[in-house]
Amino acid sequence: MSTPLLSVKDMRITFHVNGGRDQLHAVDGVSFDLASGESLGIIGESGSGKSTIARAVLSLLRITRGEITMEGKTIVTPQSPGKPGNYGVQIIFQDPHAALNPRSKIIRSLVEPLEIQGKGNASSRRDMALEMLAKVGINRALADRYPHELSGGQKQRINIARALLLRPKILVADEATAALDVSIQADILNLYKDLQDEFGLSFIVITHDLAVASYVSDRIAVMYLGRFVELGPSATLATKSAHPYTRALMSAEPEALPRRLQKQDRLVLRGEIPSPVTPPSGCRFRTRCPIATDLCAAEAPPWREMSPGHYSACHFAEEVMAGKPLDGSDKPQNLESVK
Ligand SMILES: Nc1ncnc2c1ncn2[C@@H]1O[C@H](COP(=O)(O)OP(=O)(O)O)[C@@H](O)[C@H]1O
Ligand code: SF4
Ligand SMILES: [Mg+2]
């Protein structure tokens, strides 16, 4: 297999909380590869550790264990957190206003990073910026407007243009469409697909929204309480999920699925995600899992390859994959059937 573009190896990120007395295990042993031109979705409820992964990949925080490599070269270790933006990763955040200076015209926000990097001269920087605006579907007449004169969708396209001007290999979108109307959201997701084709750009699309991940991702990683619980091709996860948590996320958003799967029993995920300071023993999902057994409390399920490229961490992955009903009869307090 060729060297992956990005490789995250057994990454752990622990925060010291409560005045340093406790450790919060935000990311607890995550590994994944990203191929050139690939789009990887990372989904999971709020608090599962998705943004912490993004910040690590951007070198915005120090990792506790593991390493990140880019094209085989080590770029981030616990000893050396790397330099943001130095190796071709850019990020788009949820808030479209955040990266744009409200007192500057759009064109200023676009050329500024080029200036900082010493690229071109004033006139060529402006040309580059205007050209990039066209690529993200923004009329160049808007370049001389101020952020408050634009819609959220337009601003998010400008943020994408701004990131692309730095010629990244990877664009990380952290809930980048979550604040937008559904139709605008679809336009931006289509833009990701166009950019993936045109620039051979790789994406890490972080979202709590399965429909978003399914639409744009070649593969999806499902994250729960600091760990990946399932990873595989998007189509495989939709049709042959091998983890109860993924099944629960899917039944919360049946419209994201192919129609024939929408008929499966719908499971409502009950209760809160436990604290990452004191995660449950064994399988972290066991306190909310309808088919948990004593084994799940005693032993953490190993990460197993169920079919080529499809991984799951569940003691009963085979049964789940074969369509075992998760009707909540074992633990109705956690998941309820709403057929
Ligand atoms: N700087 C920090 N200090 C302490 N805890 C943090 C910090 N950043 C994130 N966390 C905690 O780490 C966990 C994962 O957070 P996050 O990565 O933002 O999750 P997600 O993006 O999936 O919602 C949460 O419990 C969050 O409160
Ligand atoms: S290992 Fe047990 S608790 Fe965890 S998801 Fe599988 S069945 Fe549920
Ligand atoms: Mg987040």
Side-chain angles (χ1 to χ4, degrees):
M1 214 183 108
S2 61
T3 309
L5 176 60
L6 180 84
S7 188
V8 171
K9 295 174 187 160
D10 193 24
M11 181 166 77
R12 286 156 211 255
I13 298 165
T14 305
F15 296 112
H16 294 277
V17 292
N18 300 331
R21 283 195 311 279
D22 295 318
Q23 294 195 329
L24 186 151
H25 307 280
V27 177
D28 202 14
V30 161
S31 302
F32 65 91
D33 288 343
L34 182 72
S36 184
E38 185 189 23
S39 172
L40 174 74
I42 303 181
I43 65 168
E45 287 163 285
S46 177
S48 51
K50 306 180 300 295
S51 293
T52 304
I53 291 181
R55 286 161 61 210
V57 168
L58 266 291
S59 295
L60 297 174
L61 51 73
R62 192 178 274 274
I63 68 173
T64 313
R65 264 181 62 182
E67 67 168 352
I68 303 178
T69 64
M70 186 103 169
E71 294 170 322
K73 186 168 165 269
T74 299
I75 51 168
V76 174
T77 65
Q79 293 72 37
S80 105
K83 288 214 176 79
N86 255 10
Y87 44 85
V89 190
Q90 293 291 327
I91 189 163
I92 309 294
F93 291 108
Q94 175 171 345
D95 181 2
H97 316 272
L100 299 173
N101 184 340
R103 285 178 300 276
S104 297
K105 289 180 178 174
I106 298 303
I107 188 70
R108 192 86 278 287
S109 293
L110 291 170
V111 298
E112 202 162 57
L114 295 173
E115 271 173 21
I116 293 168
Q117 293 214 336
K119 295 233 168 90
N121 57 36
S123 145
S124 69
R125 284 194 288 266
R126 187 178 164 88
D127 289 347
M128 279 190 263
L130 294 176
E131 196 181 316
M132 197 56 85
L133 277 186
K135 286 205 196 299
V136 301
I138 292 285
N139 188 322
R140 52 171 63 199
L142 297 186
D144 290 314
R145 300 263 180 92
Y146 289 89
H148 71 87
E149 298 178 273
L150 306 180
S151 70
Q154 286 171 327
K155 275 185 278 206
Q156 211 53 315
R157 282 174 190 268
I158 288 161
N159 283 319
I160 293 169
R162 189 171 191 262
L164 291 178
L165 279 166
L166 296 171
R167 300 282 167 200
K169 294 176 179 155
I170 301 171
L171 201 56
V172 179
D174 188 357
E175 303 281 8
T177 60
L180 304 174
D181 291 345
V182 172
S183 64
I184 310 286
Q185 203 173 73
D187 290 344
I188 300 276
L189 299 179
N190 284 327
L191 175 62
Y192 291 171
K193 288 188 174 187
D194 293 346
L195 296 173
Q196 202 181 348
D197 292 344
E198 182 171 350
F199 293 96
L201 197 61
S202 302
F203 278 88
I204 298 178
V205 177
I206 292 177
T207 173
H208 65 280
D209 187 336
L210 180 68
V212 167
S214 307
Y215 188 63
V216 290
S217 311
D218 303 307
R219 290 187 303 148
I220 293 179
V222 183
M223 193 169 189
Y224 187 79
L225 203 54
R227 292 192 177 151
F228 281 0
V229 296
E230 189 167 10
L231 170 69
S234 303
T236 308
L237 256 62
T239 54
K240 272 194 168 306
S241 162
H243 201 283
Y245 181 57
T246 312
R247 286 266 294 272
L249 290 180
M250 285 178 171
S251 53
E253 288 183 59
E255 61 281 359
L257 297 175
R259 191 158 295 151
R260 85 188 159 75
L261 287 171
Q262 294 180 8
K263 293 199 183 73
Q264 69 184 8
D265 282 1
R266 296 187 53 193
L267 306 170
V268 176
L269 203 48
R270 296 244 157 211
E272 297 287 310
I273 186 166
S275 164
V277 176
T278 49
S281 65
C283 175
R284 294 185 167 192
F285 186 54
R286 71 176 168 81
T287 55
R288 299 167 83 194
C289 180
I291 58 166
T293 66
D294 291 347
L295 173 66
C296 306
E299 282 178 32
W303 185 240
R304 293 184 291 143
E305 190 166 20
M306 307 307 297
S307 60
H310 178 201
Y311 300 82
S312 168
C314 171
H315 290 302
F316 304 103
E318 286 80 1
E319 286 94 320
V320 176
M321 208 165 142
K324 180 182 171 81
L326 306 177
D327 62 7
S329 52
D330 292 0
K331 291 202 174 153
Q333 73 275 22
N334 293 330
L335 288 162
E336 82 173 8
S337 177
V338 289
K339 285 172 208 182

